[in-house]
Amino acid sequence: MAIVEIKDLTKKYGSLVAVDNISLTIVEGEIFGLLGPNGAGKTTLINILTGLVKVDKGTIKAFGQDIGKNGDDVKRQIGLVPQDLAIYEDLTCLENVSFFAGLYGLRGRLVKEKAMEALDFVGLSEKAGQAPKKFSGGMKRRLNIACALAHSPRLIIMDEPTVGIDPQSRKHILNSVKTLNSRGCTVIYTTHYMEEAEDLCDRIGIMDHGKIIAMGSSNELKSLVTDQSTLIVNLSSPLERVNIDGLKEIKGVVDIWSDENTISISSSRDINNLDKIISYFSSNDIHIAGLESKSPNLETVFLTLTGRKLRD
Amino acid sequence: MNILSIFKKECIHIIRDIKGNILMILFPIVLILILGTALSPLFDSGIDLGYIELVYTDEADPYLSSAYREFRQELSKEFGIEFIATDDAKEAISKIADGGQSSYIYLTDRQEIRLYKNERYAFEANLIEAMTRTFVEKYNLYKELATKVPDKLESAMAMEIPDLVAVKSLDGKRNIASMDYYAITMLTLILLYSASTSAHSVKREQLLKTGNRLLVSPVKKYEIFTGQVLGAISITVLQGLTVLAFSSFILNAYWGDKPHLVIMVIISEAVMAVSIGIGLSYVIKNVATLSGIINTIIPIMVLLGGGYVPFEVLGESIQKISVISPIRWTNQALFRLVYDQDTSYIFIAIAINLAIAAIFIIYASLAYRREDV
């Protein structure tokens, strides 16, 4: 069952097209990842979904209802974990979660019960009476998540929830997302970490310049580039000495990207050109420090589709 | 219900803001104490005569001599005049002529009281002449009574006779002590600073990004807005009442006998200040600029309202400009109420405060409704 249906969605800020004619369906019970570099339009799309930003064109339905017409009904079933921490540092953890839960219609004893449940879920029940002022970044992120959970939403939208935190908190958050999903929650998860998207998401939409340029499961996306293999060459000589056009003339080479002292060469799988590539470097007196053959991953997919790295 | 949740949260923020509470409660109390003590001479309606020396010779009979001794004691006690006795009348008179002394009183053995004075010391000399005349008239009255109706003398002397020199305020109403003055003006000053508190309430939601979290919840914008405004107003009124109670019960500042009207004015000023703060926070996006503007406007409004020094000291031109300051109307209303029992200005001040509040609140609510992320 479709929980979110987006059709021909466009949002412009002046001449900048932040979301460009996107159509997308998210199915109940899945973890849907939105993967893309900073500025790709992920947060704008999330803001439109949560009603924070008005659309210029297109329609969005959530839970079968038009977001614009049935705003409050839809909002009650969504929990947003914003990219920026959205917690009050002078309120205790319990007060923070209880306050936001109260806004979703929870009353009386139920508010405290649900707030404590949410804090327990993110591992902060022991800190319930403390204000987050002196918490670590990871603990604040966990509280940020708890504030979106207490009202038991059907759809949880997490906008880059692991930015700038320690590995332990990241692991905790990723496990929490899996647990929430196993309990029946649909999750929309935006990130620019391809490992997270690969690890968590049932389906991934790759965004760039406001458009979804590819969509599918991790394997489906990788299959887009399985007819190619990538050779990563680390050089000890200056990169300026490499004639990229010369390299492109080698049979089987599809594309080349360079970054600092590294050159990534994508070639057709059915043509073995490794010896020719190595001999090209040696004949031009360019010293190779290391070689690595890489099977396709989401980074490769993004690179192939856009010519840029995810973190560019 | 959502309004109540947001109202409660807003109150908690303000109550837990230690710096804000120091500014809103401790700061005005300290200011009332310091200004009320340091600037008390500015409000002192008594007259300091300075050092006055009066030379006299007493050769009168025991009755007059005794009466004059009592008179001397009274003047010494009341005004600090020092009486110096001399037997050499000639030398005393020549000192008056030379200007070495302002006055000389000679009680002769013929029961005459002669006053010699030098006009160079006009104030001193005239004051002593006036006092001496009063004494003479009083003594003659008692002497006549003793001679003609001796049985009435005792009851006449028991009658309360007015002071020799009575210093009375010309308007005949209660005088304003410096502590009383600054209790009113510092309270109205500090209430204005709630503009800063409320402006920062709005900015806090924007800076902490909690504003977006509020907006994605099923809460109407007017509920968020109303909860914030009511929370800020309630705590500001509470802070104002704390200062009022402290100044009244601990510092003994006078607040008149109509506390309900005083409280009405305080509430109206709190509503105005909070509304100005919230309104400005939607006009000015930058927090530093917003703080700068609020912290510039407030002292100007307070100065024009006579908050720092009495209104009358400011000069005619500034007094004319001062009509633009709502604090002038608020202060004036409170002073009229407390010291003249005049309630007519109260409703003008409340109307001005609420009108200004309405302008800013309407602007802020429209701006908030239009606001996109």
Side-chain angles (χ1 to χ4, degrees):
Chain A
M1 179 197 158
I3 203 164
V4 177
E5 290 172 275
I6 298 170
K7 270 188 188 167
D8 309 323
L9 198 70
T10 299
K11 175 69 191 177
K12 289 179 186 172
Y13 292 107
S15 60
L16 175 80
V17 185
V19 173
D20 192 359
N21 205 33
I22 284 181
S23 292
L24 172 68
T25 301
I26 294 164
V27 180
E28 184 153 28
E30 74 172 336
I31 301 179
F32 183 84
L34 271 175
L35 182 69
N38 292 330
K42 304 186 298 291
T43 299
T44 305
L45 183 58
I46 295 303
N47 286 342
I48 292 169
L49 264 173
T50 51
L52 281 173
V53 173
K54 286 176 186 156
V55 295
D56 296 329
K57 204 188 108 197
T59 57
I60 315 169
K61 279 186 177 178
F63 316 104
Q65 301 180 80
D66 192 310
I67 282 187
K69 288 177 188 162
N70 305 286
D72 284 357
D73 284 346
V74 173
K75 282 175 172 182
R76 250 181 223 109
Q77 301 179 70
I78 297 178
L80 172 70
V81 180
Q83 185 175 351
D84 298 301
L85 290 171
I87 50 173
Y88 299 106
E89 299 220 324
D90 55 342
L91 302 189
T92 65
C93 292
L94 183 61
E95 285 169 341
N96 263 293
V97 181
S98 301
F99 169 68
F100 288 112
L103 300 182
Y104 285 84
L106 270 63
R107 297 281 175 264
R109 198 183 292 169
L110 187 64
V111 179
K112 198 181 172 187
E113 275 174 25
K114 288 282 187 180
M116 281 308 295
E117 253 177 51
L119 286 171
D120 191 41
F121 182 75
V122 297
L124 285 176
S125 55
E126 285 177 12
K127 308 275 182 189
Q130 290 180 25
K133 217 176 261 182
K134 290 178 182 168
F135 282 8
S136 68
M139 286 164 80
K140 285 180 183 175
R141 286 259 163 218
R142 276 144 65 188
L143 178 59
N144 200 33
I145 293 172
C147 290
L149 301 182
H151 62 286
S152 310
R154 278 172 71 192
L155 172 65
I156 295 173
I157 300 172
M158 295 182 151
D159 191 5
E160 309 224 18
T162 57
V163 169
I165 58 168
D166 57 282
Q168 199 189 343
S169 289
R170 171 177 292 198
K171 196 178 167 195
H172 194 287
I173 289 171
L174 296 181
N175 286 337
S176 305
V177 176
K178 285 176 188 169
T179 311
L180 281 169
N181 183 243
S182 69
R183 291 179 184 177
C185 266
T186 307
V187 180
I188 298 176
Y189 191 96
T190 81
T191 182
H192 61 261
Y193 298 121
M194 57 137 190
E195 311 85 2
E196 283 185 6
E198 257 187 300
D199 179 31
L200 280 177
C201 303
D202 300 313
R203 282 196 310 140
I204 299 160
I206 297 180
M207 275 194 88
D208 192 37
H209 297 304
K211 288 184 175 175
I212 292 186
I213 53 175
M215 188 159 56
S217 68
S218 174
N219 286 335
E220 283 168 350
L221 290 171
K222 280 188 267 185
S223 73
L224 294 174
V225 290
T226 46
D227 56 337
Q228 292 169 18
S229 64
T230 305
L231 182 69
I232 297 168
V233 185
N234 290 310
L235 303 174
S236 52
S237 299
L239 191 64
E240 294 76 43
R241 291 180 60 186
V242 181
N243 178 5
I244 301 287
D245 291 335
L247 264 174
K248 277 184 179 171
E249 284 171 12
I250 297 171
K251 195 178 177 189
V253 171
V254 177
D255 216 342
I256 297 171
W257 309 276
S258 57
D259 178 23
E260 293 179 5
N261 281 348
T262 305
I263 294 185
S264 303
I265 304 164
S266 180
S267 302
S268 299
R269 263 189 192 279
D270 49 356
I271 296 174
N272 188 348
N273 56 7
L274 181 63
D275 53 338
K276 286 177 183 156
I277 291 171
I278 292 170
S279 76
Y280 171 84
F281 285 106
S282 56
S283 62
N284 287 289
D285 206 21
I286 300 166
H287 298 283
I288 297 172
L291 276 175
E292 189 190 344
S293 179
K294 232 179 162 185
S295 5
N297 57 21
L298 292 178
E299 181 79 48
T300 326
V301 175
F302 188 80
L303 206 60
T304 310
L305 294 173
T306 67
R308 290 183 292 121
K309 285 188 170 181
L310 268 169
R311 286 176 188 80
D312 281 351
Chain B
M1 204 64 189
N2 286 332
I3 293 176
L4 188 66
S5 297
I6 292 161
F7 168 82
K8 267 169 64 183
K9 178 196 72 86
E10 206 56 39
C11 291
I12 293 173
H13 285 314
I14 304 173
I15 289 167
R16 288 188 187 162
D17 175 12
I18 295 171
K19 277 186 195 166
N21 280 302
I22 287 174
L23 173 77
M24 295 299 290
I25 297 174
L26 201 60
F27 186 59
I29 288 171
V30 170
L31 276 178
I32 293 168
L33 254 174
I34 292 174
L35 294 174
T37 310
L39 300 182
S40 59
L42 199 65
F43 295 82
D44 196 352
S45 55
I47 300 165
D48 183 6
L49 297 177
Y51 177 73
I52 298 178
E53 197 179 79
L54 180 56
V55 180
Y56 72 96
T57 302
D58 185 1
E59 293 174 358
D61 65 23
Y63 299 110
L64 179 58
S65 189
S66 160
Y68 191 65
R69 187 166 55 249
E70 273 182 37
F71 172 68
R72 287 200 311 268
Q73 284 168 352
E74 197 176 338
L75 290 192
S76 295
K77 191 178 153 197
E78 196 79 17
F79 300 106
I81 297 172
E82 191 170 342
F83 287 86
I84 299 166
T86 178
D87 294 331
D88 193 342
K90 268 190 179 175
E91 192 194 339
I93 291 165
S94 78
K95 266 191 177 175
I96 296 295
D98 295 346
Q101 208 78 48
S102 67
S103 318
Y104 168 63
I105 289 177
Y106 184 20
L107 280 73
T108 69
D109 53 2
R110 286 190 290 175
Q111 317 314 314
E112 289 171 347
I113 299 176
R114 294 179 189 165
L115 173 69
Y116 300 87
K117 60 177 188 177
N118 187 316
E119 288 302 329
R120 198 190 301 170
Y121 305 99
F123 176 73
E124 255 183 64
N126 290 337
L127 183 71
I128 286 165
E129 185 183 348
M131 289 171 176
T132 306
R133 276 186 192 283
T134 310
F135 167 73
V136 170
E137 281 166 15
K138 209 167 159 185
Y139 180 76
N140 285 340
L141 171 72
Y142 292 152
K143 194 178 161 190
E144 282 298 305
L145 285 172
T147 315
K148 292 179 180 158
V149 274
D151 54 316
K152 301 281 182 195
L153 180 62
E154 204 172 328
S155 58
M157 287 181 78
M159 278 168 63
E160 196 177 319
I161 293 172
D163 289 339
L164 292 172
V165 178
V167 180
K168 282 190 176 178
S169 156
L170 288 177
D171 57 8
K173 290 158 192 161
R174 186 189 164 101
N175 291 322
I176 304 173
S178 57
M179 201 67 87
D180 301 330
Y181 184 84
Y182 286 110
I184 289 178
T185 58
M186 289 303 106
L187 175 60
T188 56
L189 173 148
I190 216 65
L191 285 173
L192 270 192
Y193 275 96
S194 61
S196 184
T197 315
S198 58
H200 285 101
S201 289
V202 174
K203 291 295 175 194
R204 176 182 49 233
E205 301 290 0
Q206 290 170 1
L207 288 173
L208 292 177
K209 304 287 179 189
T210 44
N212 286 358
R213 190 158 228 162
L214 292 177
L215 291 173
V216 301
S217 67
V219 177
K220 301 275 183 289
K221 274 189 170 182
Y222 81 87
E223 292 176 320
I224 299 171
F225 190 76
T226 310
Q228 280 182 336
V229 172
L230 290 181
I233 290 173
S234 304
I235 299 298
T236 303
V237 170
L238 212 62
Q239 288 166 329
L241 293 181
T242 308
V243 175
L244 185 142
F246 192 91
S247 68
S248 176
F249 299 118
I250 310 293
L251 303 178
N252 293 319
Y254 183 64
W255 282 98
D257 51 9
K258 291 187 176 67
H260 60 289
L261 291 178
V262 172
I263 290 169
M264 274 172 67
V265 176
I266 287 174
I267 291 172
S268 74
E269 197 197 332
V271 171
M272 176 190 69
V274 166
S275 308
I276 290 175
I278 288 181
L280 286 178
S281 69
Y282 285 97
V283 179
I284 303 152
K285 299 291 172 197
N286 183 284
V287 178
T289 313
L290 177 65
S291 294
I293 287 176
I294 289 176
N295 290 328
T296 307
I297 291 174
I298 291 175
I300 294 172
M301 293 217 296
V302 172
L303 176 75
L304 293 176
Y308 300 119
V309 287
F311 186 66
E312 294 73 17
V313 178
L314 295 173
E316 205 179 322
S317 53
I318 293 185
Q319 280 188 40
K320 278 180 189 166
I321 302 169
S322 71
V323 292
I324 63 165
S325 167
I327 291 304
R328 173 233 160 109
W329 298 99
T330 300
N331 284 345
Q332 201 170 15
L334 287 172
F335 281 119
R336 292 269 185 173
L337 172 72
V338 173
Y339 293 95
D340 298 344
Q341 286 78 49
D342 177 1
T343 56
S344 59
Y345 279 75
I346 289 290
F347 299 103
I348 296 172
I350 290 174
I352 289 171
N353 288 343
L354 294 183
I356 293 171
I359 293 168
F360 279 90
I361 276 292
I362 289 169
Y363 174 79
S365 60
L366 291 176
Y368 186 46
R369 203 183 296 173
R370 281 197 304 267
E371 204 172 60
D372 216 9
V373 175

